[in-house]
Amino acid sequence: MKKEIGNVLFKSINNKNNSIRLITSTNNSSNENVGLLGIKELKTPKGWEDLFHKKNEKINEIRDHIIPIKINQESTIEQLKETLYYIDGISRELCDLMDPAQFVMNVIPYGPHKIESHKAFLKMSDTVNRLNANSDLYQLLLVIRDHKHYHQLPNDHQLFLNEMIKESEVNGINLKPKEKYEIMKLKDEIFAQGSMFIEQSLNSYKHPPNVTLNIPYSSLVGHLPLKYLQQLPPKKPDGNVPFIPTDYLVAGILKYIPDPNIRYSVHRLQSISNCYDSVLNHLVQLISKRYQLAKTLGCENYSFYELKNKLLKTPTQDLSKEYKEKSDEELNKLIEIKKRMEPNNPNNDKIFSFDLPFYKNQMSKEFYKSHSLDKEELSQYFTLENVLNGLNIIVNKLFNSQLKIVPMNNGESWDKSVIKFNLLRNDENKTILGIMYLDPWERQDKATGCVNHPIGLGYKKFKILKNNLKNNLKNEDDDDDEYNDEYNLPKCSITCSFTQNNFNEPLKSKLQHSDVETLFHEFGHALHTLMSRCNFQHLCGTRGPTDFIEIPSTLMENFSWNQDLLQQFAINSMGKPISNEMVTNLKKTRNLFQGIETQEQISLAFLDLKLHTVETDKNTSTNIGDTNMSPAQILSTLHQQQIGIHGTVSNFFLTSFNHLFYYGASYYSYLLAKDYSKRIWINHFDSGKQLNLEKGQFYQQNFLKPGASIDPSLILNKFINKNK
Ligand SMILES: [Zn+2]
């Protein structure tokens, strides 16, 4: 049996190159079951129901307490503020259930916790709908907004109030009961279709296209890396492999097999197979319901509805065109390689969808070779342990803090490989700032990709809520410090799907630099969650508009390319830091496909906006609006226009693009945020030359701490509009 991960790590590390190392706590955890994610109600899956009842009861109690409050012109400013804290108290109770439920639904494999969290989430969604439709609460908000003291309220209080009013209005508070009912119904349907879309797309590996293709084993071996070869069925006596086009194997073939006929055949199987019909149908239904929702709420379409509260105000605003030239240049280089490798192919002057992964990999291989870079050698420098040390160096430099690995309590974790960290201030008391879980490795039943989930936020626990509600609180086991005028301890989880390649010492597993960049991205979100401290939970941490909250994460990507930092944490097993030359060449790979990849992002952003702008065709279940095209066909057209890639995008790709549910009309956020964060990196951190406490604390105080409780454009002004 492996020992508890937190206790044994890092003992063997040689410290000579680096003074800042992750520290591991050796405290033994007690045996008491603390509940999943440290939530005491979740000791068993049935606990979700208890959690729902407890939270729902508190919500009703707060609601019943504030609705009779008569705010009138005689009310004091303190009374106005208190009322707002109560209203946020409601939203806090909601999120105490909905945040962890969303995490469990998206991350934890299918099982009792997933089923029960889903049920609890649906019930709580119903509570949310009822609150949004509560006209007494809405009237209370309006009275405060029209109050003579309104303008004396602190800015975050005004912002919170206006957000709540807006929220009620976009949820149809002013509509007639019949229309209100319609909205509630549509929202339920959107959630149901979206959940089915995600659920089925995550499980698509269980239902590959029901066809086999005979491929000569000899054309695969020598090209396909071992991890793919191991997944192939046994070779038949005639030398062929009866190939089943699972997503994983198709991805391997498209990237590594030089024979264009094989690539074309497997791509085509994936494109024409009807095994994705059901999941695509949920996608189209989801989009259709969103369109109806926007219309019922008086918006032209869903994109307009969604973008009302974003940095970008309308979907017609043009997205960057500056990368087209670079993208063309890169495409020409790919064509050059194709002409060289397929001299007799009459179509060797075009790159098709089924060519792109192969020729990108080819070009990248040639680039690595000509710059004496070796992926295997590079990965020696990026063990997970080193990368975590890198994050630790950053929090120390910028925030005088440290990440400390601590043992998981009994019942807290969902998999034995999850690592738990405390983020601590380097003061005398080692004040704890937040808790972060990291679930690093890919597993069969786990979604691919990386994501950060907030589980709890750093809102202020106003005593006032206790003083007035304590007599009615029915839960005697409530912690005494539940309302103590201090901040709630934030908690988040980063989930990744990196390939584990050291099973005895998981933290010695080697990562690719692209994994490093991804982990840094998610850590940027984590810092936003863990370092935010706000009066209102509704405005805390990563609660802001989607295009705003991608800024700290895309900003953090820059840190993973910084020469000084890399040389402090990217150290091989001989204790030798990565060389200057290697870093310089590595940095060149960052821009290798910058043009094409940006154009791909632009295509996806356009697809997302397009799908959420037009009405879905009522006659077919898979086509979108007046275009008479399927989502895959729309994306293929965009690829042709934006990048010059021919052929069709496979339906599989569409089913795996689950941002269409999570982001719905705001996928462009990545592009916009990347642009802003690049300017912050250059302006504020002097392109990485000024990674110090002064810069870090300014960033913490003015960006991370306020979360969304200051207008995002005011926050950005502090970092971007400097005359530098
Ligand atoms: Zn992100």
Side-chain angles (χ1 to χ4, degrees):
M1 282 293 289
K2 256 181 259 170
K3 271 185 80 183
E4 181 85 60
I5 194 162
N7 290 328
V8 291
L9 302 174
F10 305 126
K11 289 283 162 63
S12 61
I13 300 172
N14 181 338
N15 271 7
K16 68 182 167 200
N17 284 303
N18 194 350
S19 56
I20 295 143
R21 285 286 176 190
L22 284 169
I23 300 164
T24 307
S25 163
T26 49
N27 294 342
N28 283 326
S29 53
S30 84
N31 282 330
E32 195 204 337
N33 183 342
V34 298
L36 185 67
L37 300 163
I39 300 170
K40 60 177 184 273
E41 288 82 2
L42 302 183
K43 287 174 186 151
T44 67
K46 281 282 165 215
W48 284 99
E49 200 176 328
D50 303 339
L51 187 64
F52 168 75
H53 286 299
K54 188 173 166 187
K55 295 292 160 191
N56 202 42
E57 213 167 278
K58 279 200 188 174
I59 290 164
N60 290 339
E61 190 184 355
I62 300 176
R63 186 201 57 205
D64 295 344
H65 178 77
I66 50 177
I67 285 179
I69 289 181
K70 289 276 173 280
I71 294 286
N72 55 40
Q73 288 303 318
E74 304 315 312
S75 305
T76 63
I77 187 154
E78 283 312 314
Q79 284 169 320
L80 301 190
K81 282 162 112 180
E82 276 170 22
T83 311
L84 293 177
Y85 302 151
Y86 278 118
I87 295 171
D88 190 56
I90 293 181
S91 117
R92 180 182 117 175
E93 300 295 335
L94 290 170
C95 293
D96 277 354
L97 182 140
M98 292 180 101
D99 283 337
Q102 216 149 15
F103 167 76
V104 170
M105 290 187 310
N106 293 335
V107 169
I108 292 191
Y110 193 77
H113 265 297
K114 197 159 189 149
I115 297 168
E116 295 302 323
S117 65
H118 193 204
K119 280 192 215 158
F121 187 90
L122 286 179
K123 282 196 214 161
M124 200 50 111
S125 305
D126 189 53
T127 303
V128 174
N129 286 338
R130 280 187 292 108
L131 287 165
N132 280 331
N134 186 315
S135 28
D136 292 332
L137 274 176
Y138 178 65
Q139 288 307 322
L140 186 61
L141 294 168
L142 294 185
V143 171
I144 300 176
R145 191 186 60 188
D146 296 333
H147 199 273
K148 63 180 178 193
H149 291 321
Y150 168 78
H151 290 284
Q152 282 138 265
L153 284 170
N155 284 338
D156 61 336
H157 291 60
Q158 292 184 20
L159 199 65
F160 171 70
L161 175 66
N162 288 313
E163 283 295 312
M164 295 312 284
I165 291 174
K166 240 191 276 176
E167 212 137 293
S168 294
E169 287 170 357
V170 299
N171 283 297
I173 189 80
N174 292 320
L175 299 175
K176 295 191 187 83
K178 191 169 161 259
E179 288 164 324
K180 263 194 215 170
Y181 174 75
E182 183 64 17
I183 300 279
M184 268 156 71
K185 213 174 106 213
L186 279 169
K187 289 200 154 186
D188 283 348
E189 285 168 350
I190 288 169
F191 181 76
Q193 293 293 342
S195 307
M196 294 297 280
F197 170 59
I198 299 297
E199 179 78 32
Q200 292 192 4
S201 68
L202 293 184
N203 287 318
S204 69
Y205 70 92
K206 288 183 190 157
H207 314 284
N210 188 17
V211 275
T212 45
L213 189 70
N214 284 317
I215 302 180
Y217 185 72
S218 57
S219 57
L220 302 177
V221 72
H223 300 292
L224 217 49
L226 190 66
K227 61 177 187 174
Y228 296 101
L229 287 174
Q230 284 167 339
Q231 302 250 333
L232 289 174
K235 185 169 68 167
K236 293 193 296 189
D238 63 1
N240 283 325
V241 174
F243 179 83
I244 298 163
T246 62
D247 315 335
Y248 183 72
L249 283 173
V250 170
I253 299 258
L254 291 179
K255 188 169 175 185
Y256 295 105
I257 300 302
D259 185 336
N261 295 320
I262 296 179
R263 291 201 312 269
Y264 172 73
S265 308
V266 297
H267 175 77
R268 190 166 144 23
L269 276 188
Q270 219 183 28
S271 309
I272 59 169
S273 166
N274 55 13
C275 74
Y276 305 109
D277 283 2
S278 166
V279 51
L280 282 180
N281 183 32
H282 289 301
L283 173 65
V284 173
Q285 290 303 318
L286 163 73
I287 290 166
S288 158
K289 298 289 172 201
R290 280 177 169 165
Y291 185 84
Q292 287 175 37
L293 175 74
K295 280 286 179 193
T296 316
L297 290 166
C299 292
E300 198 173 319
N301 56 51
Y302 189 76
S303 294
F304 274 99
Y305 164 76
E306 182 61 27
L307 267 56
K308 266 196 197 160
N309 298 327
K310 300 289 190 317
L311 285 171
L312 185 81
K313 295 297 176 202
T314 72
T316 46
Q317 192 171 324
D318 201 291
L319 291 161
S320 160
K321 288 271 194 297
E322 65 176 273
Y323 289 100
K324 183 74 175 95
E325 210 170 289
K326 185 146 190 340
S327 157
D328 287 348
E329 236 172 70
E330 292 159 12
L331 189 71
N332 285 335
K333 281 187 197 155
L334 296 178
I335 292 173
E336 248 171 61
I337 303 175
K338 184 171 178 178
K339 283 184 173 165
R340 194 167 8 105
M341 293 188 75
E342 299 179 45
N344 302 321
N345 183 345
N347 280 321
N348 66 11
D349 57 344
K350 292 186 190 79
I351 296 289
F352 291 85
S353 294
F354 61 86
D355 283 332
L356 192 62
F358 177 76
Y359 284 106
K360 269 174 79 178
N361 186 43
Q362 207 57 31
M363 183 165 139
S364 152
K365 254 165 62 183
E366 291 180 13
F367 182 91
Y368 271 72
K369 205 172 164 201
S370 63
H371 289 78
S372 313
L373 277 172
D374 177 69
K375 280 199 175 160
E376 183 53 36
E377 193 193 339
L378 265 175
S379 69
Q380 318 271 335
Y381 293 89
F382 299 117
T383 59
L384 179 62
E385 181 178 69
N386 283 353
V387 178
L388 293 173
N389 281 328
L391 297 179
N392 205 19
I393 293 169
I394 293 171
V395 293
N396 183 63
K397 266 184 200 285
L398 297 185
F399 312 123
N400 189 27
S401 302
Q402 57 171 291
L403 278 174
K404 180 174 177 178
I405 294 191
V406 290
M408 200 69 80
N409 291 310
N410 186 17
E412 186 177 5
S413 180
W414 57 99
D415 188 89
K416 63 179 188 305
S417 60
V418 181
I419 311 170
K420 180 183 176 185
F421 298 86
N422 282 347
L423 180 64
L424 305 169
R425 172 102 52 223
N426 284 335
D427 53 18
E428 245 171 61
N429 304 324
K430 294 276 178 280
T431 313
I432 177 163
L433 299 172
I435 295 169
M436 180 177 96
Y437 301 105
L438 172 67
D439 181 356
W441 311 119
E442 64 186 351
R443 289 191 294 274
Q444 242 235 319
D445 50 8
K446 187 173 161 187
T448 53
C450 288
V451 63
N452 170 70
H453 282 273
I455 296 167
L457 296 168
Y459 54 79
K460 195 164 179 182
K461 301 190 281 187
F462 288 105
K463 260 189 198 152
I464 170 78
L465 297 182
K466 183 179 189 170
N467 296 342
N468 287 312
L469 292 175
K470 65 180 171 192
N471 298 333
N472 301 326
L473 285 175
K474 288 175 187 155
N475 304 294
E476 278 147 22
D477 60 339
D478 276 336
D479 301 335
D480 255 0
D481 72 345
E482 197 166 5
Y483 308 101
N484 57 5
D485 267 357
E486 283 178 12
Y487 289 97
N488 186 49
L489 187 67
K491 204 187 273 182
C492 68
S493 175
I494 295 180
T495 315
C496 304
S497 49
F498 301 141
T499 306
Q500 185 175 357
N501 44 41
N502 188 332
F503 291 88
N504 292 327
E505 290 181 272
L507 284 201
K508 299 269 187 217
S509 286
K510 293 170 285 186
L511 305 183
Q512 299 294 319
H513 184 267
S514 54
D515 299 334
V516 180
E517 188 183 29
T518 306
L519 185 55
F520 273 52
H521 175 105
E522 299 310 334
F523 188 64
H525 286 306
L527 285 176
H528 207 183
T529 308
L530 302 181
M531 302 199 107
S532 182
R533 296 294 182 273
C534 300
N535 285 324
F536 299 98
Q537 100 77 52
H538 190 72
L539 301 176
C540 203
T542 44
R543 289 279 189 250
T546 340
D547 43 4
F548 178 66
I549 61 166
E550 284 300 327
I551 296 174
S553 53
T554 49
L555 173 71
M556 195 52 70
E557 290 173 18
N558 293 292
F559 287 74
S560 73
W561 295 94
N562 181 263
Q563 181 130 7
D564 281 353
L565 277 175
L566 282 168
Q567 289 181 328
Q568 288 176 63
F569 74 82
I571 294 163
N572 70 11
S573 56
M574 314 294 287
K576 201 169 161 271
I578 192 166
S579 70
N580 273 334
E581 195 196 349
M582 267 180 135
V583 176
T584 310
N585 286 329
L586 180 67
K587 282 166 94 169
K588 287 183 191 156
T589 65
R590 189 183 189 184
N591 297 330
L592 208 49
F593 301 108
Q594 197 189 32
I596 288 183
E597 280 164 4
T598 308
Q599 293 296 104
E600 278 178 321
Q601 292 293 311
I602 291 173
S603 304
L604 289 173
F606 274 143
L607 172 78
D608 179 35
L609 288 172
K610 176 99 189 161
L611 294 181
H612 287 103
T613 305
V614 291
E615 192 177 2
T616 310
D617 193 331
K618 292 195 182 67
N619 301 318
T620 76
S621 60
T622 50
N623 284 2
I624 297 294
D626 53 358
T627 61
N628 205 22
M629 291 199 280
S630 71
Q633 286 166 325
I634 296 176
L635 185 59
S636 308
T637 312
L638 285 164
H639 275 181
Q640 164 85 55
Q641 288 163 355
Q642 298 290 325
I643 327 173
I645 301 289
H646 298 260
T648 48
V649 176
S650 77
N651 278 330
F652 163 68
F653 177 81
L654 253 294
T655 63
S656 60
F657 185 41
N658 51 29
H659 290 81
L660 285 173
F661 175 50
Y662 295 128
Y663 279 53
S666 43
Y667 188 72
Y668 70 89
S669 305
Y670 283 114
L671 289 163
L672 198 68
K674 246 192 156 112
D675 186 56
Y676 281 122
S677 63
K678 191 171 138 197
R679 284 149 69 188
I680 297 177
W681 175 248
I682 295 170
N683 254 325
H684 182 69
F685 292 108
D686 198 8
S687 302
K689 286 185 213 71
Q690 293 216 43
L691 303 183
N692 53 43
L693 210 54
E694 187 202 336
K695 293 289 173 184
Q697 282 179 342
F698 187 88
Y699 175 59
Q700 184 196 350
Q701 282 298 319
N702 296 288
F703 202 123
L704 299 176
K705 187 180 171 195
S709 56
I710 298 178
D711 185 316
S713 53
L714 295 178
I715 293 183
L716 287 173
N717 282 346
K718 290 198 174 164
F719 292 87
I720 286 170
N721 288 353
K722 284 182 187 163
N723 301 323
K724 246 190 165 178

